[in-house]
Amino acid sequence: EKPKPLFAPPDGFAVRNFTDGDEIYWADIEASVLEFPSKSYALAYFAADYLRRSKSDVYNRCVFITKDNIPVATATAWRISGQNIVHWVAVKPEFQNMGLGRAVLSAALSVYGRLSPDEDIYVHTRTWSHDAVCLYYSMGFRMAKDETVFKNDGTLHKNEYSEAMKVLHDIIPPEIYGGLINTAE
């Protein structure tokens, strides 16, 4: 079933799920935002992580925003060790600041509405991706002070709330920083 995002992409863009062969686009998008050192490294990761899951999970949980049916943004609505975790949210640099991040995140979140409603959803990020921190905050996510989430391989991802807040203090707008502090759980 096609995701029904709360925030639609701008005119000229569309939302769709993963289809066979899209791993090439996924790798290109993720490498373009420097999540991986190269497209081939990203493809190897995709093969090791995504393809070890059921095909229906990949088809239902990996979403794209497309331009002329070519994916330019992606996010995945994984369920890892019993937790809903939005993973690998990325928009190719030449398409950033057009509302596609909000649209692709919204599309991934709509997956949970179908597959596991009423459960908490987690997203982890890095301080160097402070624009993503601001996006996640604007869409209702709150910083977790203590909670630990699982990574793709099932291992625990240590929460570094205090360290992250020290870095973010100087790089995000003060009103968002204050909101992050005031709403952290």
Side-chain angles (χ1 to χ4, degrees):
E1 179 180 338
K2 189 175 180 178
K4 295 178 180 83
L6 178 62
F7 295 99
D11 289 343
F13 294 89
V15 177
R16 73 166 169 82
N17 287 74
F18 179 90
T19 59
D20 290 333
D22 280 345
E23 63 272 15
I24 300 296
Y25 297 113
W26 183 92
D28 184 48
I29 294 165
E30 294 297 340
S32 77
V33 296
L34 307 178
E35 284 290 345
F36 296 96
S38 69
K39 189 174 170 180
S40 62
Y41 192 94
L43 271 171
Y45 177 89
F46 189 94
D49 185 60
Y50 281 56
L51 298 183
R52 71 178 173 83
R53 301 168 190 271
S54 76
K55 279 193 167 196
S56 70
D57 263 358
V58 177
Y59 295 141
N60 286 314
R61 295 177 176 273
C62 182
V63 297
F64 292 102
I65 301 294
T66 64
K67 174 81 172 158
D68 301 323
N69 206 33
I70 303 296
V72 297
T74 188
T76 304
W78 281 144
R79 185 157 178 88
I80 300 170
S81 300
Q83 288 182 329
N84 293 325
I85 301 175
V86 178
H87 248 327
W88 301 112
V89 179
V91 178
K92 290 186 82 167
E94 61 268 32
F95 294 97
Q96 292 177 2
N97 300 309
M98 300 173 74
L100 300 182
R102 183 172 306 279
V104 77
L105 178 58
S106 180
L109 293 174
S110 75
V111 170
Y112 293 117
R114 290 190 333 266
L115 300 178
S116 51
D118 303 321
E119 292 184 29
D120 288 339
I121 301 169
Y122 296 85
V123 60
H124 71 264
T125 191
R126 297 170 182 87
T127 53
W128 61 261
S129 186
H130 55 275
D131 288 340
V133 172
C134 295
L135 171 65
Y136 301 148
Y137 174 74
S138 77
M139 293 198 53
F141 283 91
R142 302 294 173 251
M143 297 287 277
K145 291 181 180 178
D146 301 314
E147 198 153 348
T148 300
V149 298
F150 290 93
K151 296 195 297 189
N152 281 359
D153 62 4
T155 61
L156 290 176
H157 178 76
K158 182 179 177 281
N159 187 347
E160 298 173 337
Y161 172 79
S162 296
E163 297 89 339
M165 294 312 290
K166 288 175 190 172
V167 173
L168 292 173
H169 180 269
D170 296 327
I171 58 176
I172 63 174
E175 64 278 5
I176 294 176
Y177 182 81
L180 289 172
I181 293 286
N182 292 333
T183 61
E185 301 172 347

